[in-house]
């Protein structure tokens, strides 16, 4: 054991403006970044376009900082000095690089997928697609930034992002569309890129009800492709509704030969029981199979959710000025406006009351959940596949909350696209980090730990950890094969660690 002695003076001041604290958490991200061959992708782009700035250094810092210190591009440039390896680019070069990243978006996505196959076998037999949108702190719509349906109910211009994800929760490809684009028409163009650029051919596309148009179903009803999509039970045809609401003919998973009645369910002992029924039907030229599940637990969940909406609706009735145009999921859908009294006399003022008919109509469908597919596979497995859609919703949540992808402040459409490219790459890097650690930690735990892994530099000696060693830091070091938790990391040793993460 070699000990190193360092002397300090209680009267000598530290040098003015000297940075002594550096982040080492980014090294785990860097290890994955280079494993994914992103440095080689940057080299190919630089060779093709013949520019002189270091696009690999820029992209890598944009990715690391999106995870660790999310902020503006100027903030990313300023935060880059906090890493052990110092930046070798200027701020203006970041903006030039953004335009180049947008130009080569398709090449980056397809090559990144092919490179990822060296890290793991991608589960592309089932792929998931969904859309979300991101708002901008601007008043005037321009380019892709348009006024549209905001999922966060904001009045700002938005852009729309479509995202494909594999069966393990790792993103495959993304697209950026104007904020006023109909979500349903975004699936096929991006899926065609998977077919052409990713060499994928046979897969099942899983979507929610908002993306399950007839056109999309038809597109995935040929050439070895298939679909699983959520089906709204409130928009079924009358004969389908009659079949769905019938209490008879239900089954339990694993008991295909026995049928049950919904009236057999016990309110206390059957809370966790799930019953299902299924039938084939032909519509718009597609043979489809509808699988419907029912559970008391899901029924009670929907009822509690609706009751909260009803309670809010009652409060809004007392404040008519707050009653503007409502959405189908808004509490105001339970409020009806009358201009006549109960006696049929035209009222001087509008009268607002609870829409009991609407409430009763919705209550009919409590507990029911439906999916449609053209597959003949086991019904329980199809339901399980659909339930894993939560992973793509989690992808969007991580980008919006942990990565702070919105609000975005960039003006040019190409730079906006590049911004979301860095978010997309950051998400892939994070997913592989999560896989390396066995999925034991939340996104918040992982990111906060990496952000906290700072080292104090002793000039001429090395780096001293200034973070708490814990189970998570030990897991990181074990998974990646290097250790920054020693009392002192000599400068030469730290250089070797940095080099190791770039192999």
């Amino acid at each position: 054991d070699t000990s190193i002695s360092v002397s300090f003076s209680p009267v000598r001041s530290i040098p003015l403006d000297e940075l002594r604290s550096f982040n080492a958490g980014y090294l785990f991200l860097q290890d994955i970044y280079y494993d994914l061959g992103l440095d080689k992708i940057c080299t190919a782009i630089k060779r093709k376009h013949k520019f002189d700035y270091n696009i690999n250094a820029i992209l890598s810092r944009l990715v690391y900082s999106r995870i660790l210190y999310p902020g503006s591009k100027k903030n990313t440039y300023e935060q880059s000095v906090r890493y052990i390896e110092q930046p070798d680019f200027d701020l203006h070069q970041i903006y030039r690089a953004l335009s180049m990243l947008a130009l080569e978006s398709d090449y980056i996505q397809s090559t990144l997928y092919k490179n990822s196959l060296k890290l793991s076998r991608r589960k592309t037999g089932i792929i998931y697609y969904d859309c979300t949108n991101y708002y901008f702190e601007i008043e005037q719509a321009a380019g892709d930034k348009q006024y549209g349906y905001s999922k966060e109910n904001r009045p700002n211009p938005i852009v729309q992002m479509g995202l494909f994800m594999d069966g393990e929760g790792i993103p495959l490809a993304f697209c950026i569309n104007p904020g006023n684009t109909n979500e349903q028409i975004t699936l096929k163009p991006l899926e065609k890129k998977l077919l052409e650029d990713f060499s994928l051919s046979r897969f099942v596309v899983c979507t929610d009800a908002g993306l399950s148009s007839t056109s999309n179903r038809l597109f995935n009803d040929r050439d070895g492709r298939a679909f699983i999509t959520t089906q709204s039970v409130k928009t079924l045809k009358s004969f389908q509704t009659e079949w769905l609401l019938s209490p008879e003919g239900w089954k339990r998973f694993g008991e295909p030969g026995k049928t049950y009645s919904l009236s057999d369910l016990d309110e206390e002992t059957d809370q966790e029981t799930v019953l299902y029924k299924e039938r084939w039907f032909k519509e718009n030229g597609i043979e489809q199979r509808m699988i419907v599940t029912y559970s008391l637990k899901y029924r009670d969940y929907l009822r509690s959710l609706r009751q909260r909406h009803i309670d809010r609706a009652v409060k809004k009735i007392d404040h008519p000025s707050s009653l503007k145009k409502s959405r189908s999921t808004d509490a105001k859908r339970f409020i009806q406006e009358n201009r006549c009294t109960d006696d049929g006399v035209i009222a001087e003022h509008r009268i607002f009351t609870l829409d009991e008919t609407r409430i009763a109509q919705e209550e009919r469908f409590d507990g029911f959940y439906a999916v449609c597919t053209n597959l003949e596979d086991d019904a329980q497995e199809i339901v399980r596949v659909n339930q894993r859609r939560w992973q793509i919703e989690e992808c969007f949540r991580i980008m919006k909350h942990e990565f702070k992808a919105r609000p975005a402040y960039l003006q040019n459409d190409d730079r906006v696209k590049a911004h979301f490219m860095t978010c997309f790459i950051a998400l892939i890097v994070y997913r592989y980090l999560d896989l390396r650690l066995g999925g034991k930690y939340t996104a918040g735990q992982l990111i906060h730990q990496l952000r906290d892994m700072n080292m104090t530099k002793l000039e001429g000696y090395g780096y001293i950890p200034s973070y708490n060693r814990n189970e998570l830091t030990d897991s990181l070091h074990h998974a990646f094969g290097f250790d920054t938790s020693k009392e002192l990391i000599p400068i030469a040793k730290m250089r070797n660690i940095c080099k190791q993460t770039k192999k």
Side-chain angles (χ1 to χ4, degrees):
D1 182 20
T2 303
S3 297
I4 297 176
S5 298
V6 182
S7 62
F8 295 96
S9 169
V11 296
R12 188 168 61 243
S13 297
I14 62 175
L16 188 65
D17 294 328
E18 181 181 82
L19 187 63
R20 291 193 165 197
S21 180
F22 299 90
N23 178 268
Y26 83 97
L27 291 170
F28 303 99
L29 306 177
Q30 181 162 277
D31 189 287
I32 297 170
Y33 177 96
Y34 276 81
D35 277 352
L36 287 167
L38 282 154
D39 59 316
K40 295 181 176 64
I41 291 174
C42 289
T43 298
I45 294 173
K46 184 173 182 178
R47 187 182 300 119
K48 176 181 176 181
H49 295 279
K50 297 180 175 58
F51 47 77
D52 57 1
Y53 55 86
N54 190 343
I55 191 171
N56 180 54
I58 293 171
L59 177 59
S60 60
R61 268 53 183 180
L62 287 170
V63 170
Y64 308 155
S65 293
R66 181 51 51 189
I67 298 173
L68 299 178
Y69 311 112
S72 67
K73 301 303 171 278
K74 182 174 183 292
N75 180 71
T76 295
Y77 175 70
E78 293 169 348
Q79 295 293 346
S80 291
V81 298
R82 297 181 61 171
Y83 302 129
I84 289 173
E85 297 166 285
Q86 294 296 289
D88 62 348
F89 52 86
D90 297 321
L91 177 60
H92 72 91
Q93 292 174 327
I94 291 182
Y95 294 103
R96 290 172 61 191
L98 289 176
S99 299
M100 195 58 62
L101 293 171
L103 181 65
E104 295 292 342
S105 174
D106 290 348
Y107 167 74
I108 294 172
Q109 292 183 60
S110 61
T111 309
L112 185 53
Y113 165 72
K114 291 166 186 172
N115 291 350
S116 72
L117 297 175
K118 300 174 185 176
L119 273 67
S120 66
R121 182 181 177 185
R122 300 294 296 267
K123 296 182 179 179
T124 54
I126 309 281
I127 60 175
Y128 296 82
Y129 183 72
D130 204 353
C131 290
T132 192
N133 47 56
Y134 300 85
Y135 69 91
F136 288 73
E137 291 284 10
I138 57 175
E139 299 294 332
Q140 188 67 38
D144 288 341
K145 303 176 288 295
Q146 296 293 324
Y147 289 101
Y149 169 74
S150 171
K151 295 182 185 287
E152 298 169 273
N153 300 320
R154 288 182 173 272
N156 312 77
I158 57 176
V159 296
Q160 181 192 95
M161 175 188 243
L163 180 69
F164 267 113
M165 179 196 80
D166 72 10
E168 207 160 28
I170 302 173
L172 276 169
F174 81 100
C175 60
I176 295 297
N177 301 300
N180 55 3
T181 304
N182 182 339
E183 288 184 353
Q184 292 184 350
I185 67 173
T186 66
L187 183 145
K188 284 194 287 185
L190 190 57
E191 189 174 334
K192 287 177 180 177
K193 287 186 179 180
L194 295 183
L195 296 169
E196 297 166 5
D197 299 344
F198 289 58
S199 301
L200 297 176
S201 56
R202 301 176 65 87
F203 48 75
V204 179
V205 178
C206 188
T207 68
D208 66 10
L211 289 154
S212 60
S213 66
T214 298
S215 175
N216 288 341
R217 296 189 197 195
L218 280 168
F219 185 70
N220 286 301
D221 191 40
R222 62 175 188 263
D223 301 330
R225 300 193 301 280
F227 63 84
I228 299 174
T229 184
T230 306
Q231 172 66 52
S232 171
V233 296
K234 299 174 186 176
T235 59
L236 296 176
K237 289 182 167 56
S238 58
F239 76 93
Q240 295 169 328
T241 300
E242 183 181 353
W243 165 77
L244 176 139
L245 295 177
S246 171
E248 307 303 323
W250 293 83
K251 302 176 183 178
R252 290 178 188 259
F253 291 119
E255 300 179 11
K258 190 175 180 180
T259 61
Y260 297 84
S261 171
L262 296 185
S263 59
D264 295 335
L265 293 174
D266 184 275
E267 290 288 338
E268 293 185 2
T269 61
D270 285 323
Q271 279 290 315
E272 301 294 330
T273 298
V274 177
L275 298 180
Y276 80 99
K277 63 166 58 173
E278 57 182 323
R279 67 175 293 175
W280 285 86
F281 65 96
K282 187 171 184 178
E283 189 174 44
N284 300 313
I286 315 174
E287 290 281 351
Q288 301 181 67
R289 175 185 177 203
M290 187 186 301
I291 303 170
V292 183
T293 60
Y294 179 86
S295 75
L296 296 174
K297 185 176 182 180
Y298 186 52
R299 179 205 65 184
D300 293 344
Y301 165 73
L302 292 178
R303 286 182 178 177
S304 65
L305 194 65
R306 183 182 303 103
Q307 188 57 53
R308 290 200 293 270
H309 285 183
I310 292 172
D311 293 341
R312 288 203 297 270
V314 170
K315 291 180 181 179
K316 288 178 179 294
I317 288 174
D318 297 330
H319 301 86
S321 61
S322 67
L323 296 174
K324 299 178 182 178
K325 185 178 180 181
S326 66
R327 292 174 177 169
S328 60
T329 56
D330 193 282
K332 294 192 285 292
R333 72 186 187 280
F334 294 135
I335 300 173
Q336 62 181 353
E337 178 184 338
N338 299 301
R339 293 186 178 273
C340 297
T341 64
D342 292 340
D343 299 327
V345 179
I346 296 177
E348 182 179 351
H349 301 289
R350 292 180 298 169
I351 301 171
F352 296 100
T353 58
L354 274 179
D355 190 341
E356 300 289 353
T357 302
R358 176 72 179 268
I359 294 172
Q361 283 284 354
E362 285 199 12
E363 284 180 344
R364 298 167 65 211
F365 298 99
D366 287 351
F368 299 96
Y369 189 91
V371 295
C372 279
T373 183
N374 55 349
L375 292 169
E376 299 181 11
D377 298 52
D378 178 69
Q380 186 173 16
E381 181 56 29
I382 289 173
V383 170
R384 284 175 179 160
V385 167
N386 180 70
Q387 288 173 339
R388 288 198 289 268
R389 285 192 306 104
W390 67 267
Q391 290 181 304
I392 198 165
E393 293 167 0
E394 184 188 47
C395 284
F396 289 141
R397 184 194 62 77
I398 290 172
M399 280 196 283
K400 289 184 176 183
H401 295 280
E402 271 74 23
F403 294 178
K404 294 181 171 53
R406 87 290 185 254
Y409 299 93
L410 295 160
Q411 297 296 319
N412 299 345
D413 284 347
D414 60 345
R415 292 179 179 179
V416 169
K417 187 174 184 178
H419 165 70
F420 290 108
M421 168 64 76
T422 62
C423 295
F424 170 78
I425 295 174
L427 188 58
I428 293 176
V429 170
Y430 163 75
R431 282 298 196 196
Y432 274 108
L433 174 69
D434 185 41
L435 285 175
R436 287 257 194 118
L437 297 174
K440 295 193 300 181
Y441 305 97
T442 67
Q445 288 173 321
L446 275 175
I447 293 169
H448 283 103
Q449 184 62 72
L450 295 179
R451 189 181 298 151
D452 188 52
M453 293 185 74
N454 293 319
M455 314 282 288
T456 300
K457 185 177 182 181
L458 294 181
E459 195 61 47
Y461 293 94
Y463 298 83
I464 297 176
S466 52
Y467 58 86
N468 294 329
R469 179 189 168 198
N470 53 43
E471 178 192 331
L472 177 48
T473 60
D474 281 358
S475 295
L476 284 164
H477 291 130
H478 177 74
F480 285 83
F482 62 85
D483 193 351
T484 62
S485 291
K486 304 302 182 185
E487 289 185 356
L488 176 71
I489 309 293
I491 293 174
K493 176 64 175 176
M494 185 59 79
R495 285 201 197 100
N496 287 335
I497 291 175
C498 292
K499 186 182 296 185
Q500 179 182 336
T501 63
K502 296 180 181 180
K503 288 183 178 178

